[in-house]
Amino acid sequence: MTPRESETMSIFSPALAARFDALVEKYPVKRSALIPMMLYAQDEIGYLSDAVIAEIADRLGLTELDVRNVASYYSMLRFKPAGRFNIQVCTNISCMLRGAYDLFDRFQEELGVGHKGITPDGVFSLEEVECIGACCWAPAIQVNYDFHDELAADSVPGILQQYRERAAANGGR
Amino acid sequence: MADVTFTVDGKKLTAPAGTLLIEACRKAGIEIPAFCYYPGLSLQAACRMCVVRQEKVPKLQTACTTTVAEGQVFVTESPEIAQARKATLQLLLGNHPLDCPVCDAGGECELQDMTFKYGAGESLYAEAKQHRDEQQWSPAVFFDRPRCILCYRCVRMCGEGMDVWALGVQNRGVSSVIAPNGEDHLDCEECGMCIDVCPVGALTSGSYRYKTRPWEMNHVSTICTHCGDGCKVTLGVRQSHEGTDLVRGDNRDKSGINGDFLCAKGRFGFDFVNSEERLARPLVRNASGRLEPTTWENALRVAAAKLKEVRDSRGGDSIAVLGSNRTTNEENYLLQKLARTVLRTNNIDHVRTADYATFARSLAGQEHKAASLRDAGNAPAILLVGGNPTEEHPLLAWQLRSNVRLNKARLYVVNHRTIKLERQAKAVQGVPPNGYRDLTALLDRNEGDLAKAVMAEESLLLIFGQEYRGEQMEALVSWGLKRGNVRFAYLGDHSNSRGAADMGVLPDLLPGYVSVNAPGAFAEEYAGMPAAPGKTAPEFLEMAQSGQLGALVVVGENPAQRLGWAPDALRKTFLVVQDLFLTETALQADVVFPAASLYEKTGTITNTFGDVQLAKKAADRPGVRPDFEILVRLADAMGADVKALVPFGKRGMRADFGQSRGAQSGEADRHAVWLASHGLEPKLSPFDPLAVLDEIERLVPAYKLDRLNLFAGNDVPTEPAFVPVSALTQPRADLVNPAHDGLFTSGTLGRYSAYLREIEEHQAHQLAETAAD
Amino acid sequence: MPRLVSHPDEVKIVTRRFGQGAANIEKYLELGGYEAAKKCLTQGPDWIINEMKASNLRGRGGAGFPTGLKWSFVPKQSAKPKYVLVNGDESEPGTCKDHLIFLHDPHAVIEGTIIAGLAIGAKMGFIYLRGEYRYLLEIMEKAVADAYSKGFLGKGIFGSDTEFEVVTQTGAGAYEVGEESALMESLEGKRGVPRIKPPFPAVVGLYGGPTVINNAETIATVPHVIAMGGAAYAAVGSERNGGTRLFGLSGHVERPGVYELPMGYNLKKMIYEVGGGVRGGRKLKAVVPGGSSTPVLLPEEIENLGMDFDQVGKAGSMLGSGGVVVIDDQTCIVEFALRTISFYQHESCGWCIPCREGTDWLKKSLTRFHAGFGEAKDIDNIRYLAENMMGRTFCPLGDAAAMPTLGFVKKFRKEFEDHLNGKPCPFAKHVELAVV
């Protein structure tokens, strides 16, 4: 096991690097930090780039293959960038019964992209997802981690506007 | 665990409690089908083919995870079970390409066999199969994804078995895929074990793919010609217009000392046999000083006449003989006997890769102290001092890893560098490169974790590398003998280095390490043998340079390369070379005989642990002859009494000198193992090495072999303790010259394996890539 | 913010602090919080397990295993540390009850975890939330931090010499991780593939130590069981089914939402009275009683159906996670079946052949069938596929895909036949589903 080349050479922000340093100490086994680390790294970098995988593997003493094996299992983790705001439309049964497909169609129409598409300006990406645990408030979506529930196709322009403004105001997150 | 009795398909079976049902059944001859189950690897219960019905249990159970207990009742074949298996096969076949006619695995495919048994004849689906292009992951490994049934054998074999961890599973559900560690390529030891365990044709071998159909080959299990471990390798041999082609090396027959294992050299490094550079005709240097092809009769006549002339005019001690680390025991024995009794010289030596003479001397009179390679797989505690088994003795490394993993054996590593086996070690002790001398003192002082743990062990398998020679080895062995309950093993290179030493291809020692000075029975057996010890290999060079060496016979060795002999050093010496290739040494020869490789002849070889195995002839190569035959013919041409050299034709039987030579004559391919195992088969031909094996058994006490086992293809241990103590002399430790071949190199032989070269280049490229990152 | 609903028939035990700001530790304490944990600290493990057994509380994840019994399987002595693992990987379509618990009553989860730890002698508990629940994870993290600062967690909890640590953990999108052994794998940083059983988690679980794994709702119920007494809790429910259940009413119902009703509550009443009936006054076509893996029930099957594990089981379905999905008569059952199987195809971990390949072939067949390219034999093929997955897979996910499929094909065969011969789906606009 080679020690990490340099503590200062992290590709993550100092805050996230510090969070990871603490995270690996939390568990009886260091490796338990792997999934949270990948998700948090993705939140910051946008996706699991080769460099992210290399650093996480290094921090946990795993092979990059091992990290990829695990990462590719989980549907929230991605190896390619998404839009700044990733719109995830649940179309599973409870949402479907209450118009999720109309909602998804409307998003496609408004954004001009389909499933897993990214708008040319990079502000939005669209994804049809499985149940997000908001069945009683269907149809529901998540924009990044924010829930929006009890929607109708007509709610789409308002939601997009809200995020467009956020994108314009602070350049993103 | 205590034995329990349970019922399977109405039969009462007994097995230790906790045995896996699938294993208990297999031992009782009841085969339960399985894709994912593989003995010795972790359990998966993923393929669901091994489902059985257990009484009082609502669901079908997987036999690979069910452990047997008293009174259980199982049914392993019933309409319900057959239906479950059939349904699973139908699911697999839904997307599995039916390209069996061109698939490498066709005819050897477990999916085919199970479909044949359980039937899944008609397709339930209208959807098109999903095609993905085949990928090349390395020179050795190709991956055809649609054929993969995700049994995870390859992943586990690579990780758990090889400790390489180069394969993984990525994505999930129906997108799950086996993935290599380099994303689109493999960065690994190229052992090919993943290909071996693949039940279908998903992983195929770069050296074999699309070459032939399995049923067009004969499968011959013989012994690998490369390193000193002596793995059994199954060679796939196909008839061709000029004899036979070796098309495949693998480990189909798992009965060998190596069990499941085979490394890159054993699996892929057989292709030197088919090399275009193989010598096919004898060569004789003509008047203008060039080597030109000639007939066997002429070459033998030229060589014999000159050797005879030198012997008769200048005396036997002006002739020297350099033997091989790869020829068989019978050939080595014959070579030294020929040197001593026909050429009348003790100037016989080989390039010693290890100090086996001291090893034998250290253990003289100490019975049951020498370890077999099998012991490495089941000894409870192993102390490995020096050496680097992962690179130089891949089977030993496999045995040690498996023993640690499966039997919780304790491995202790002492080395002057970092070796990979430390990952399996319970304790590691570093020493300076020349610090091995102090090890026994350190152990006795109980100093450090390793010493404490080792000293607390009840028994020990002590394996040491070529770092140990001479007095240092004697000190280590005597420490172990004093400590008690220690068995020893010594690591040397090449497939029959141990045999060369055991058979007396040495100037001062006769077969069985009997001193030339006190030859005992050999005095009578070897009529005409000189009384004084001969010269050593480095001294041959000195003799040649000073004009004292009239003739030199080199069998299967390349001193110009291996010992750095200058090209013109042998200018004044008549040089006879027997080899597969026109090596740097052969280029200088006056006569060159094209020799058969180990895969083209029969005989026994002895691995570095002293385990004797029978190498079986797999292939025929036009124009070449086994070294054994060449030596007999040479002796005959010199006018020697061949019957004194090779005790053939006993009980009054006579034979010709090769007029009837066909594919089989002169070889030990006897149909009656029983006769052979009892030494009763008629040795009709002077070219029958088994005739010499009889003599070896008679004259070398260490080689009292269990012939039935030997001829059944098993490894048979020797007993070095049977070296006559009275005959001990001080061996020459300074002459040891290890080869240190790695995973992809194998001396001169390895250079003629195009495939090993390709793998080596691939590895170098990977290494450069990694370094550049 | 998910809407809270209420109905007079509700018996508010687990939900009694909902909507009152109990995520704030002070508020939680004011509402009687952490008293149960303190009581357990003095009463000891045997007492706790007896109370749990008396409560007839059965696992709320779906299998309905008696909680007290499960806890009693953990060996008293263990060379390896023991753990409590809270399963908040709520992912079964139709289920969103834990969502509300984490949002409104995070300390109940912590308190329940402490009590489980005291019962089995564990010093550490993990609360695992599905990755999508990031905002709930942050609420849980805050609650855990507050509990530490109050001394309710850590080296000497509530001033005792007992140690108990709680660690929160996020998933990253995988339904299969809701299976208890896959959850342990995920928490150990691996692919969410289930483990071979035996050994069961109570003996060899997380990090090889004895482990109790409970659903978040089960754990959040524990403090209430302790507070009111096991027997009193049991009395609320039906026979062998103690207490209340958080039923999630969703789909074509007038007033969807999470309702806390006593075990054994009539399903028809739940839909028509609690839920306000089928939306828009339409007719009820079918109802999925306990999350998408439970076989569908017809209107005539729910007349007298009490919603507890045993009664729904007897009716040929399962109570499951308590997610009741109401389907009206304008819904295409083939599309509903397809959407259901698409989910399981997407979520199959891929480990075993029958589930990995079976869910995929079911999805492919249903996709083609729904698009109007089905043949008569496909109906039987779909049934054959599902029947041959049942009970043959490594873990229950295969059953979860096969069971509802069998239900749809058996109960709505006519509607499947109506899709044959190139006829377009009479209901659906969506032929192709995007999730792959």
Side-chain angles (χ1 to χ4, degrees):
Chain A
M1 223 58 67
T2 48
R4 203 142 53 81
E5 283 187 9
S6 161
E7 297 296 323
T8 57
M9 276 181 62
S10 175
I11 62 161
F12 304 123
S13 65
L16 188 59
R19 187 173 181 190
F20 286 171
D21 290 341
L23 200 60
V24 296
E25 303 295 324
K26 251 170 70 170
Y27 307 92
V29 171
K30 213 157 78 163
R31 186 181 174 136
S32 284
L34 176 58
I35 292 157
M37 275 168 84
M38 290 193 291
L39 197 56
Y40 299 154
Q42 175 173 288
D43 292 344
E44 181 169 292
I45 308 286
Y47 68 107
L48 299 181
S49 64
D50 290 352
V52 167
I53 287 167
E55 180 169 335
I56 289 177
D58 195 20
R59 281 175 174 268
L60 295 177
L62 303 173
T63 63
E64 290 179 30
L65 175 72
D66 210 346
V67 173
R68 283 180 199 280
N69 293 346
V70 177
S72 60
Y73 179 89
Y74 294 92
S75 56
M76 290 173 71
L77 299 172
R78 52 183 178 253
F79 298 96
K80 278 185 238 157
R84 190 171 289 164
F85 299 108
N86 187 32
I87 298 169
Q88 302 144 72
V89 182
C90 170
T91 60
N92 211 308
I93 48 174
S94 297
C95 288
M96 178 181 88
L97 294 178
R98 295 182 81 94
Y101 281 119
D102 293 338
L103 193 63
F104 186 67
D105 285 350
R106 186 63 182 269
F107 272 112
Q108 296 197 79
E109 215 171 280
E110 294 282 335
L111 294 171
V113 298
H115 176 60
K116 298 246 179 190
I118 307 173
T119 57
D121 60 5
V123 174
F124 293 106
S125 51
L126 182 63
E127 213 180 324
E128 182 186 346
V129 296
E130 294 297 355
C131 182
I132 55 175
C135 318
C136 294
W137 318 291
I141 66 164
Q142 273 190 291
V143 181
N144 294 347
Y145 292 106
D146 301 340
F147 280 89
H148 297 265
D149 49 33
E150 303 194 53
L151 300 177
D154 291 345
S155 341
V156 170
I159 290 169
L160 292 179
Q161 188 53 31
Q162 186 187 329
Y163 284 97
R164 279 202 184 99
E165 279 164 19
R166 271 174 62 181
N170 56 14
R173 291 162 205 287
Chain B
M1 285 264 216
D3 277 0
V4 291
T5 303
F6 51 98
T7 308
V8 179
D9 299 337
K11 276 182 240 166
K12 287 253 184 265
L13 300 185
T14 302
T19 306
L20 294 174
L21 178 62
I22 196 167
E23 279 299 322
C25 285
R26 282 180 181 188
K27 289 213 173 80
I30 299 167
E31 176 141 9
I32 296 178
F35 289 123
C36 69
Y37 175 75
Y38 198 90
L41 299 179
S42 63
L43 303 179
Q44 313 283 287
C47 76
R48 318 308 283 178
M49 283 300 289
C50 69
V51 287
V52 296
R53 171 60 64 193
Q54 182 179 357
E55 201 177 75
K56 296 188 189 123
V57 177
K59 285 186 185 180
L60 293 177
Q61 299 292 296
T62 47
C64 71
T65 57
T66 303
T67 49
V68 299
E70 186 64 39
Q72 288 169 331
V73 178
F74 299 100
V75 174
T76 72
E77 288 285 355
S78 70
E80 177 201 28
I81 292 164
Q83 172 54 37
R85 292 173 184 164
K86 178 181 169 183
T88 301
L89 292 169
Q90 283 172 323
L91 288 169
L92 285 176
L93 292 172
N95 205 50
H96 189 92
L98 297 179
D99 60 351
C100 312
V102 296
C103 175
D104 271 0
E108 298 182 314
C109 169
E110 295 177 35
L111 181 59
Q112 276 186 339
D113 293 348
M114 287 198 206
T115 307
F116 182 79
K117 178 159 185 192
Y118 293 101
E122 71 278 17
S123 177
L124 304 177
Y125 316 110
E127 283 73 20
K129 290 175 195 275
Q130 286 196 348
H131 177 74
R132 299 282 164 86
D133 285 340
E134 194 181 30
Q135 299 170 2
Q136 179 172 13
W137 282 349
S138 78
V141 184
F142 283 68
F143 179 59
D144 189 318
R145 179 173 170 185
R147 289 183 190 157
C148 174
I149 60 169
L150 289 164
C151 66
Y152 319 113
R153 282 188 195 173
C154 55
V155 176
R156 287 171 286 157
M157 185 52 86
C158 183
E160 298 167 17
M162 293 302 301
D163 193 26
V164 170
W165 307 96
L167 293 171
V169 189
Q170 289 184 1
N171 305 334
R172 73 173 184 217
V174 78
S175 307
S176 299
V177 60
I178 302 300
N181 55 355
E183 292 195 66
D184 62 349
H185 67 269
L186 268 171
D187 190 0
C188 70
E189 292 178 6
E190 308 282 352
C191 64
M193 290 295 289
C194 53
I195 304 166
D196 232 14
V197 294
C198 181
V200 293
L203 290 165
T204 54
S205 143
S207 75
Y208 170 70
R209 56 204 303 276
Y210 301 131
K211 277 204 179 146
T212 189
R213 308 304 291 154
W215 53 85
E216 290 177 337
M217 292 186 285
N218 283 324
H219 305 280
V220 182
S221 287
T222 185
I223 307 304
C224 176
T225 188
H226 292 291
C227 88
D229 285 347
C231 288
K232 192 178 270 191
V233 54
T234 308
L235 296 173
V237 190
R238 195 175 55 179
Q239 299 301 315
S240 75
H241 62 284
E242 53 173 20
T244 52
D245 272 345
L246 275 189
V247 259
R248 186 170 77 176
D250 70 7
N251 191 22
R252 183 183 155 112
D253 170 355
K254 299 190 192 305
S255 68
I257 197 169
N258 44 320
D260 285 308
F261 179 76
L262 199 61
C263 80
K265 282 194 283 193
R267 194 181 303 279
F268 307 119
F270 62 84
D271 64 336
F272 66 86
V273 163
N274 305 330
S275 167
E276 289 185 359
E277 294 177 74
R278 271 302 284 280
L279 292 170
R281 296 183 66 187
L283 305 172
V284 169
R285 199 167 292 281
N286 62 18
S288 59
R290 298 170 65 119
L291 281 172
E292 72 179 8
T294 184
T295 60
W296 275 94
E297 288 71 17
N298 186 47
L300 283 163
R301 194 171 41 76
V302 172
K306 184 70 181 177
L307 288 171
K308 198 167 177 227
E309 179 206 315
V310 174
R311 181 193 67 190
D312 295 343
S313 62
R314 300 171 63 180
D317 54 7
S318 68
I319 304 177
V321 175
L322 192 64
S324 170
N325 287 306
R326 292 196 207 268
T327 49
T328 65
N329 289 326
E330 294 73 23
E331 288 166 338
N332 283 329
Y333 180 91
L334 182 68
L335 180 66
Q336 61 84 35
K337 188 176 177 187
L338 180 141
R340 291 179 160 121
T341 64
V342 178
L343 303 175
R344 301 208 193 98
T345 179
N346 274 326
N347 297 339
I348 175 160
D349 204 349
H350 66 289
V351 181
R352 311 175 194 189
T353 71
D355 189 3
Y356 289 115
T358 298
F359 187 64
R361 176 185 154 94
S362 307
L363 286 177
Q366 304 284 344
E367 277 183 59
H368 308 304
K369 292 294 178 191
S372 154
L373 183 42
R374 290 195 183 273
D375 293 333
N378 53 38
I382 305 104
L383 175 58
L384 174 68
V385 188
N388 185 2
T390 310
E391 294 285 325
E392 300 180 11
H393 294 272
L395 170 59
L396 171 61
W398 162 272
Q399 298 277 41
L400 293 174
R401 283 194 306 267
S402 303
N403 195 4
V404 168
R405 184 168 60 89
L406 300 172
N407 308 327
K408 308 239 178 319
R410 298 162 301 275
L411 172 67
Y412 305 100
V413 170
V414 178
N415 213 299
H416 63 279
R417 61 205 147 158
T418 303
I419 62 169
K420 196 177 163 193
L421 276 170
E422 287 177 13
R423 286 158 51 156
Q424 277 72 35
K426 193 165 175 251
V428 176
Q429 173 75 52
V431 291
N434 51 8
Y436 288 98
R437 184 177 302 278
D438 308 323
L439 178 66
T440 52
L442 180 125
L443 289 168
D444 285 334
R445 284 200 306 276
N446 234 330
E447 205 174 280
D449 291 347
L450 180 132
K452 284 196 188 105
V454 166
M455 295 309 279
E457 290 291 354
E458 278 180 25
S459 67
L460 212 53
L461 169 58
L462 175 52
I463 304 172
F464 47 96
Q466 291 136 314
E467 289 86 348
Y468 280 91
R469 297 164 206 173
E471 285 169 8
Q472 210 167 310
M473 188 198 306
E474 283 189 86
L476 181 68
V477 173
S478 88
W479 171 87
L481 291 171
K482 236 182 289 154
R483 193 183 173 280
N485 221 351
V486 177
R487 305 245 267 174
F488 305 88
Y490 183 38
L491 304 179
D493 312 308
H494 299 317
S495 55
N496 205 24
S497 291
R498 171 76 178 259
D502 283 359
M503 292 301 113
V505 184
L506 293 165
D508 52 341
L509 296 171
L510 296 165
Y513 304 99
V514 171
S515 172
V516 168
N517 293 323
F522 286 102
E524 208 169 305
E525 295 277 343
Y526 287 8
M529 174 173 66
K535 302 278 195 242
T536 64
E539 289 165 337
F540 297 169
L541 181 64
E542 288 166 25
M543 286 168 70
Q545 281 162 337
S546 64
Q548 291 165 23
L549 190 62
L552 173 66
V553 178
V554 176
V555 177
E557 185 53 87
N558 184 11
Q561 228 268 332
R562 186 73 168 82
L563 298 175
W565 287 5
D568 62 346
L570 300 170
R571 213 164 3 105
K572 286 176 259 173
T573 302
F574 179 72
L575 178 61
V576 178
V577 171
Q578 300 176 199
D579 210 313
L580 281 67
F581 302 101
L582 201 58
T583 63
E584 290 84 344
T585 306
L587 272 172
Q588 302 163 47
D590 297 285
V591 181
V592 180
F593 293 113
S597 75
L598 187 63
Y599 298 149
E600 293 145 352
K601 63 192 177 191
T602 292
T604 65
I605 62 170
T606 309
N607 73 5
T608 191
F609 283 68
D611 304 318
V612 180
Q613 300 183 87
L614 185 68
K616 291 184 192 157
K617 176 176 171 171
D620 258 321
R621 181 89 189 166
V624 306
R625 297 189 179 183
D627 291 300
F628 193 93
E629 180 180 336
I630 300 171
L631 294 174
V632 173
R633 285 185 185 278
L634 196 58
D636 181 52
M638 287 178 72
D641 176 5
V642 171
K643 275 208 100 159
L645 201 59
V646 181
F648 75 102
K650 62 182 173 185
R651 298 198 187 121
M653 280 191 248
R654 299 179 64 85
D656 60 72
F657 254 54
Q659 294 91 329
S660 63
R661 182 175 189 272
Q664 304 299 323
S665 80
E667 299 293 345
D669 295 299
R670 302 285 176 232
H671 64 279
V673 166
W674 187 87
L675 278 177
S677 72
H678 290 77
L680 293 176
E681 84 287 17
K683 278 88 181 177
L684 291 172
S685 158
F687 308 136
D688 188 343
L690 293 187
V692 159
L693 183 61
D694 289 347
E695 185 166 312
I696 295 171
E697 286 200 74
R698 187 164 58 81
L699 294 175
V700 182
Y703 279 65
K704 287 278 173 278
L705 303 173
D706 170 358
R707 279 198 160 208
L708 185 60
N709 256 316
L710 181 71
F711 282 83
N714 297 322
D715 48 294
V716 176
T718 52
E719 179 50 276
F722 293 150
V723 171
V725 182
S726 60
L728 293 185
T729 53
Q730 185 66 49
R732 290 280 301 276
D734 57 316
L735 295 175
V736 175
N737 193 342
H740 291 310
D741 277 319
L743 280 174
F744 315 111
T745 58
S746 186
T748 298
L749 204 54
R751 284 160 45 204
Y752 291 93
S753 164
Y755 208 70
L756 288 179
R757 294 294 57 72
E758 190 186 341
I759 293 177
E760 207 182 12
E761 271 165 40
H762 172 79
Q763 295 285 323
H765 180 70
Q766 296 300 337
L767 217 62
E769 293 254 294
T770 317
D773 278 348
Chain C
M1 195 72 158
R3 191 150 50 96
L4 284 177
V5 289
S6 128
H7 186 270
D9 279 5
E10 279 191 283
V11 178
K12 300 220 173 205
I13 296 174
V14 177
T15 58
R16 80 180 167 88
R17 301 189 195 97
F18 282 18
Q20 297 186 57
N24 181 313
I25 195 166
E26 301 298 343
K27 188 70 191 177
Y28 184 74
L29 288 169
E30 194 186 309
L31 294 169
Y34 288 112
E35 289 303 321
K38 284 185 213 161
K39 186 173 180 184
C40 289
L41 196 54
T42 55
Q43 296 286 357
D46 293 340
W47 179 85
I48 303 172
I49 288 175
N50 282 335
E51 283 301 306
M52 293 310 298
K53 282 184 176 166
S55 74
N56 281 343
L57 174 63
R58 291 170 66 169
R60 298 307 194 220
F65 195 83
T67 306
L69 192 60
K70 190 187 239 185
W71 291 7
S72 70
F73 289 155
V74 176
K76 290 239 184 300
Q77 302 299 322
S78 165
K80 292 202 168 178
K82 301 184 232 181
Y83 300 99
V84 178
L85 178 44
V86 181
N87 186 347
D89 189 60
E90 181 168 69
S91 304
E92 173 90 352
T95 318
C96 54
K97 61 200 176 57
D98 300 341
H99 190 139
L100 289 184
I101 294 171
F102 294 130
L103 178 61
H104 291 284
D105 208 4
H107 286 285
V109 180
I110 298 170
E111 190 173 0
T113 310
I114 296 171
I115 293 169
L118 293 172
I120 65 161
K123 290 189 165 44
M124 197 164 193
F126 293 89
I127 301 172
Y128 186 109
L129 272 67
R130 62 180 300 185
E132 291 84 350
Y133 284 179
R134 176 63 64 82
Y135 88 107
L136 301 171
L137 180 72
E138 283 163 6
I139 291 168
M140 280 308 307
E141 282 172 347
K142 166 83 166 60
V144 168
D146 289 347
Y148 268 104
S149 61
K150 285 276 182 196
F152 300 165
L153 292 173
K155 288 277 176 259
I157 62 170
F158 304 107
S160 71
D161 53 5
T162 301
E163 180 190 348
F164 197 75
E165 311 284 342
V166 164
V167 173
T168 52
Q169 178 82 345
T170 179
Y175 167 79
E176 175 61 2
V177 165
E179 197 278 341
E180 58 181 11
S181 62
L183 182 66
M184 298 189 296
E185 288 286 293
S186 180
L187 187 44
E188 291 180 12
K190 300 174 194 157
R191 293 166 60 83
V193 170
R195 295 178 181 173
I196 293 168
K197 295 178 214 173
F200 291 96
V203 183
V204 181
L206 195 60
Y207 308 116
T211 305
V212 147
I213 303 180
N214 284 124
N215 181 261
E217 183 188 344
T218 314
I219 283 288
T221 307
V222 167
H224 301 290
V225 169
I226 297 298
M228 65 196 285
Y233 180 80
V236 177
S238 57
E239 201 186 334
R240 286 192 309 278
N241 287 266
T244 57
R245 182 97 209 245
L246 302 194
F247 291 102
L249 269 175
S250 70
H252 293 145
V253 67
E254 201 60 59
R255 287 194 300 272
V258 176
Y259 298 90
E260 182 171 14
L261 295 164
M263 283 293 232
Y265 193 84
N266 181 278
L267 179 53
K268 190 174 181 190
K269 213 171 150 193
M270 195 185 294
I271 295 168
Y272 285 97
E273 293 182 20
V274 178
V278 179
R279 191 168 68 157
R282 288 178 182 165
K283 274 174 69 186
L284 180 68
K285 183 172 194 169
V287 55
V288 175
S292 63
S293 64
T294 59
V296 69
L297 295 172
L298 298 173
E300 58 268 30
E301 290 174 301
I302 67 166
E303 287 291 333
N304 298 308
L305 184 60
M307 289 288 276
D308 67 28
F309 289 106
D310 303 322
Q311 294 185 58
V312 184
K314 231 174 269 168
S317 187
M318 295 195 311
L319 187 63
S321 63
V324 178
V325 184
V326 177
I327 303 167
D328 74 13
D329 60 354
Q330 297 298 300
T331 309
C332 171
I333 280 296
V334 177
E335 186 185 26
F336 194 88
L338 170 57
R339 189 62 191 85
T340 302
I341 202 66
S342 296
F343 171 73
Y344 291 102
Q345 187 265 4
H346 186 256
E347 299 299 332
S348 167
C349 79
W351 185 250
C352 72
I353 294 168
C355 176
R356 179 182 73 232
E357 304 293 334
T359 52
D360 193 48
W361 286 113
L362 280 176
K363 182 186 169 182
K364 282 179 180 164
S365 300
L366 281 166
T367 303
R368 181 165 48 81
F369 201 92
H370 183 240
F373 300 104
E375 294 173 51
K377 68 168 189 178
D378 285 330
I379 303 175
D380 290 327
N381 276 349
I382 289 167
R383 187 172 166 166
Y384 174 86
L385 266 172
E387 277 171 352
N388 279 287
M389 287 166 69
M390 281 296 296
R392 307 255 176 85
T393 54
F394 187 96
C395 85
L397 196 146
D399 293 348
M403 281 187 303
T405 308
L406 284 173
F408 294 129
V409 176
K410 282 183 193 163
K411 291 179 183 174
F412 293 94
R413 192 174 178 105
K414 166 100 184 31
E415 199 169 321
F416 275 80
E417 284 165 356
D418 286 346
H419 280 73
L420 285 172
N421 309 318
K423 276 186 258 170
C425 169
F427 304 97
K429 291 179 292 181
H430 298 88
V431 169
E432 206 79 45
L433 293 181
V435 171
V436 281

